[in-house]
């Protein structure tokens, strides 16, 4: 356990005990596709697909490049925004309520503010 980089998982488990999370796409996010050709002699092809949210059109563009050049290997990047959410709705509601109380406690009442 004294190895460099070793993490004590017990402390993480005790913090996360009974709380389940999941990762999902953010509701305001779209998937974006970019691609570049990895074929060609010496991988010298410079064909690239500009970022698009139309995944079908992106696929058609890659197939068209293959039909035109015979190049069939591409590096693709699919990107979106993600968020981590609690899977238990009651726990989520409890945390929202606690957060609101903490934010309200930080607010300074008008009569307690000093005016410059």
């Amino acid at each position: 356990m004294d190895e460099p980089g070793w993490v004590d998982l017990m402390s993480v488990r005790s913090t996360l005990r009974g709380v389940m999370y999941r990762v999902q796409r953010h509701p305001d996010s779209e998937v974006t596709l970019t691609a570049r050709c990895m074929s060609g002699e010496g991988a010298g092809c410079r064909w690239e697909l500009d970022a698009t949210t139309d995944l079908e059109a992106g696929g058609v563009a890659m197939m068209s490049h293959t039909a035109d050049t015979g190049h069939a290997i591409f590096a693709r990047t699919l990107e979106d925004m993600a968020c981590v959410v609690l899977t238990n709705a009651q726990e989520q509601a409890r945390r929202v309520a606690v957060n609101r109380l903490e934010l309200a406690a930080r607010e300074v009442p008008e009569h307690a503010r000093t005016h410059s």
Side-chain angles (χ1 to χ4, degrees):
M1 284 204 180
D2 293 332
E3 296 177 32
W6 180 260
V7 176
D8 179 11
L9 293 179
M10 289 305 292
S11 62
V12 173
R13 284 189 191 123
S14 64
T15 304
L16 300 176
R17 180 184 27 217
V19 179
M20 300 297 291
Y21 295 90
R22 72 172 184 232
V23 177
Q24 66 183 33
R25 184 180 321 142
H26 190 278
D28 295 337
S29 175
E30 293 183 292
V31 176
T32 302
L33 168 68
T34 58
R36 62 187 166 91
C37 181
M38 300 299 289
S39 297
E41 200 169 309
C45 183
R46 298 191 184 274
W47 182 90
E48 291 190 12
L49 174 68
D50 291 332
T52 181
T53 57
D54 187 340
L55 304 183
E56 188 174 333
V60 168
M62 288 188 288
M63 289 184 274
S64 294
H65 180 70
T66 299
D68 292 344
T69 64
H71 300 169
I73 302 172
F74 299 88
R76 295 185 305 173
T77 303
L78 295 165
E79 184 176 45
D80 68 350
M81 283 193 316
C83 55
V84 176
V85 296
L86 290 162
T87 58
N88 183 308
Q90 287 177 320
E91 178 65 14
Q92 178 69 32
R94 185 191 72 76
R95 288 186 182 204
V96 167
V98 167
N99 189 44
R100 284 187 183 136
L101 289 173
E102 289 174 352
L103 290 173
R106 290 184 200 155
E107 291 181 7
V108 179
E110 182 66 33
H111 68 275
R113 293 183 188 157
T114 58
H115 296 285
S116 305

